[in-house]
Amino acid sequence: MNKPLSATSLEPSDRLRSHAPDIDALLGCIAEGAADRERERVLPFAQVDLVRKARLGALRLPIEAGGAGLSIRALFEIVIGLGEADANVAHILRNHFSVVERVVRRPKDDQHRQWQKAVADGAIIGLAATELDTPKVGNVTPNTALTADGDDYLLNGTKYYSTGTLYSDYVLVRTADASATNAAVLIPINRDGVELIDDWDGLGQRLTATGTTHFRNVRVKRQEVVFDAPDIGYGIPYSNTFAQLFLTAINAGIARAVLRDASALVRTRKRTFYYAPSEVPADDPLLQQTIGQIASGAFAAETVVLAAAEALDAATDAFDAGDENAVDAAHKAALLSAKAKIVADEFAIRSGSLLFDVGGASATKKATNFDRHWRNARTLASHNPNTFKARSIGQYEISGTPLPAKGFF
């Protein structure tokens, strides 16, 4: 195991540097060739391996457990940077960090501590939760079955949208036992009976391997099962807020990537539009205005994400301390995260379109792959529509009705 960090008095940014001292270089390596990989559909196994070796997935683990002990806000600063570098790689890690929050960060027993050690050593965790044949709106009981087999279990079922699992070392599977009690199973992906299929064909986030996973008579040890409870995993109210805000942070990163590419495009352009107010594109006030709009949108998106992350930090601290107001704090974090999504998604999508206003028709060439920004932002925003978020926010503001405590909040 890597030697745990001991400088508990370090500021969050210093803890990060001690844990992963080459973070800027890492993000630079991930950014290099990102447009080409996405255009040519080269899966980023090498980039995920860099993340694994840097133990970036342990950023939220306590220092004494081999992590960096970062706050959620500090983590989301890194997530935004990852989103700017490569939105696919950032999305691949979303489920990992969500599982760490739910199951690994505060270990309950020896098995949990083994998972924590694996993450501290660099292991990455994927997720298999979604099913296409759920018969009832709002139903949260998985059809994937956990069947008793002596002292242990057999796992059978098929999951879809298993983002990142193809690149992972472990996978968390949402399932239910014979009594319809929901549970999470955390197992190695190389266990017999696990089949990963890269069949995701979405218009954006094309390299996330958001595909199908089959489980056929997979043996599961009893200690690898975490049944839902009010104090752990999916049983915690608003336990999905972290995962939702993570997606929004990636869109904030995409907005920054658009600013980077749009600014570089204007600086290097030689030709300009007919009747342009300036011979030099960089001196064109109309192009300058568009860059200013993109820059302001990127700032707004990042700001609202980090504000919501601070609320999520407060909610997490309240839960860890057993505060009687923990659920209220979690609701506030969910509310701010929902608001942040509406703002950040809009700016990321709009910025992805504005990029072409500064580049003209030549910017639409496949070689540039500039359209990936809009496609990726649009795909991330579609994970759950803003209309549902806005309606719930409005209902709360009008009548005080709390946001749903499960699902996409």
Side-chain angles (χ1 to χ4, degrees):
M1 179 175 176
N2 291 291
K3 184 178 179 181
L5 301 176
S6 59
T8 56
S9 62
L10 293 177
E11 293 298 318
S13 58
D14 294 327
R15 294 181 201 166
L16 175 61
R17 303 293 169 180
S18 298
H19 181 84
D22 297 321
I23 181 65
D24 293 331
L26 174 64
L27 293 178
C29 288
I30 291 172
E32 186 176 355
D36 296 334
R37 288 194 301 272
E38 208 246 28
R39 185 182 61 251
E40 303 299 329
R41 205 176 186 282
V42 177
L43 299 180
F45 283 104
Q47 287 69 34
V48 175
D49 278 342
L50 291 175
V51 169
R52 187 179 280 109
K53 290 173 183 176
R55 301 188 298 125
L56 207 68
L59 292 177
R60 277 285 290 157
L61 294 186
I63 293 174
E64 60 272 17
L70 291 191
S71 66
I72 293 174
R73 187 191 191 281
L75 171 65
F76 275 72
E77 290 182 38
I78 304 304
V79 174
I80 293 171
L82 276 170
E84 179 183 4
D86 186 330
N88 286 279
V89 173
H91 196 181
I92 286 166
L93 297 174
R94 176 229 189 181
N95 288 328
H96 167 87
F97 282 107
S98 298
V99 173
V100 168
E101 284 299 306
R102 284 186 167 118
V103 178
V104 179
R105 189 176 59 85
R106 299 173 69 246
K108 300 286 187 180
D109 53 34
D110 288 343
Q111 179 63 69
H112 286 67
R113 280 183 280 276
Q114 289 179 30
W115 292 329
Q116 189 181 71
K117 179 182 182 300
V119 170
D121 287 343
I124 294 175
I125 304 171
L127 179 69
T130 303
E131 297 171 349
L132 297 185
D133 53 354
T134 302
K136 179 181 177 183
V137 172
N139 180 40
V140 293
T141 301
N143 291 322
T144 299
L146 195 63
T147 307
D149 183 52
D151 292 335
D152 298 318
Y153 296 94
L154 292 177
L155 181 69
N156 284 278
T158 297
K159 299 289 189 178
Y160 301 87
Y161 309 127
S162 308
T163 303
T165 302
L166 188 68
Y167 305 93
S168 300
D169 304 290
Y170 292 82
V171 59
L172 185 145
V173 188
R174 289 295 289 160
T175 182
D177 67 6
S179 65
T181 301
N182 289 0
V185 168
L186 187 53
I187 56 175
I189 62 165
N190 61 1
R191 186 161 292 178
D192 289 346
V194 178
E195 181 185 10
L196 306 174
I197 303 174
D198 179 25
D199 56 357
W200 169 242
D201 65 349
L203 66 87
Q205 297 300 96
R206 293 174 174 176
L207 306 183
T208 58
T210 304
T212 304
T213 307
H214 296 293
F215 301 94
R216 301 184 179 97
N217 289 326
V218 179
R219 294 201 168 274
V220 177
K221 299 174 184 177
R222 183 169 294 273
Q223 59 266 33
E224 294 173 323
V225 181
V226 181
F227 287 99
D228 289 1
D231 64 340
I232 189 169
Y234 286 76
I236 300 172
Y238 301 104
S239 64
N240 206 35
T241 300
F242 179 96
Q244 292 300 300
L245 187 59
F246 199 104
L247 290 177
T248 305
I250 301 172
N251 261 351
I254 290 173
R256 285 200 338 199
V258 172
L259 174 61
R260 175 199 67 207
D261 289 350
S263 299
L265 186 60
V266 173
R267 282 194 298 268
T268 58
R269 278 191 65 177
K270 302 301 181 184
R271 297 175 64 249
T272 189
F273 298 106
Y274 288 118
Y275 308 116
S278 172
E279 292 289 340
V280 179
D283 295 332
D284 187 330
L286 298 180
L287 299 185
Q288 292 170 348
Q289 178 186 8
T290 304
I291 294 296
Q293 290 175 310
I294 294 172
S296 300
F299 168 74
E302 182 171 355
T303 299
V304 294
V305 167
L306 295 181
E310 289 180 1
L312 195 53
D313 266 320
T316 301
D317 291 344
F319 176 80
D320 289 350
D323 193 312
E324 63 181 8
N325 296 316
V327 175
D328 290 339
H331 180 267
K332 178 181 178 180
L335 184 65
L336 292 185
S337 295
K339 292 177 179 179
K341 172 179 166 60
I342 291 174
V343 172
D345 286 359
E346 179 180 349
F347 280 121
I349 293 168
R350 184 193 304 172
S351 295
S353 180
L354 285 173
L355 189 154
F356 297 100
D357 287 344
V358 302
S362 61
T364 67
K365 292 181 178 180
K366 288 185 178 180
T368 67
N369 202 25
F370 286 144
D371 64 299
R372 76 186 189 282
H373 296 311
W374 184 92
R375 289 187 289 100
N376 290 339
R378 180 63 269 180
T379 299
L380 288 165
S382 298
H383 272 68
N384 61 304
N386 278 329
T387 50
F388 288 101
K389 297 283 190 182
R391 183 259 181 177
S392 292
I393 294 168
Q395 193 176 24
Y396 170 78
E397 296 292 345
I398 293 168
S399 59
T401 303
L403 271 60
K406 302 292 182 182
F408 288 109
F409 291 89

